[in-house]
Amino acid sequence: MEFFRRLFAKPSPAPAPQPPAPEPVRVEYSDPRVPEGAQKRIQRILESLKDVYDAAQREQAGGINRFELDQMRDLHLPKLVKSYIDIPPAHRAEIFRKTGKSASFILDESLDTMQAKLDGMLRSLAQHDLDAFTHNTQFIGQRYADKDNPFL
């Protein structure tokens, strides 16, 4: 019987090949062509990335997309900074003429957008901690009749 089942079984489709992971972009964030304000924003983003990784590991949170974090750290942030560095200074004025904003202003806006995304992730992870704390204090209050518990 097993012989016939295998004989007439439909072959399972081959898994789709995964595209190779793109090579990380290398850039020196302390390059003197990167404005000081942008360098501070970049440093804060790198610290926030580490904080999100650490919090996600601690929480074992499934809601955090580690692939997205890896891409932000290894591709998006360095590509953004490299593309800024690669603009010849003599041509940066063209960006202002086209957009009404300087290249450094647009760089800062983009970095702020990345930081806002990371802040949202950290806030989401912190909510897990707050919820757990609230749940535990409610349990303790109910279990031990603590009338001074502000969460009841």
Side-chain angles (χ1 to χ4, degrees), residues 51-66 125 128-129:
D51 291 345
V52 171
Y53 274 112
D54 292 348
Q57 182 72 21
R58 183 182 74 245
E59 295 295 324
Q60 297 179 350
I64 299 300
N65 186 338
R66 286 179 172 46
L125 289 166
H128 290 284
D129 294 332

Side-chain angles (χ1 to χ4, degrees), residues 87-101:
I87 300 170
H91 296 280
R92 288 199 176 129
E94 291 177 32
I95 292 174
F96 185 80
R97 282 193 295 277
K98 288 180 181 179
T99 65
K101 300 175 183 177

Side-chain angles (χ1 to χ4, degrees), residues 1-18:
M1 210 50 173
E2 181 66 23
F3 171 77
F4 290 112
R5 190 177 61 76
R6 279 190 260 146
L7 182 66
F8 294 110
K10 293 180 183 176
S12 59
Q18 294 293 327

Side-chain angles (χ1 to χ4, degrees), residues 37-68:
Q39 287 183 15
K40 289 178 183 177
R41 284 176 170 84
I42 292 165
Q43 188 58 41
R44 182 165 178 240
I45 287 170
L46 294 172
E47 290 167 3
S48 294
L49 277 163
K50 183 184 178 320
D51 291 345
V52 171
Y53 274 112
D54 292 348
Q57 182 72 21
R58 183 182 74 245
E59 295 295 324
Q60 297 179 350
I64 299 300
N65 186 338
R66 286 179 172 46
F67 179 74
E68 183 180 359

Side-chain angles (χ1 to χ4, degrees), residues 82-116:
K82 184 169 180 354
S83 66
Y84 176 85
I85 290 171
D86 289 346
I87 300 170
H91 296 280
R92 288 199 176 129
E94 291 177 32
I95 292 174
F96 185 80
R97 282 193 295 277
K98 288 180 181 179
T99 65
K101 300 175 183 177
S102 68
S104 60
F105 183 84
I106 293 171
L107 173 64
D108 287 347
E109 273 186 334
S110 298
L111 292 170
D112 289 343
T113 299
M114 293 177 91
Q115 184 64 55

Side-chain angles (χ1 to χ4, degrees), residues 51-52 55-56 58-59 61 64 118-134:
D51 291 345
V52 171
R58 183 182 74 245
E59 295 295 324
I64 299 300
L118 291 168
D119 290 346
M121 290 177 169
L122 284 168
R123 209 173 6 268
S124 175
L125 289 166
Q127 189 61 50
H128 290 284
D129 294 332
L130 293 169
D131 292 344
F133 179 72
T134 300

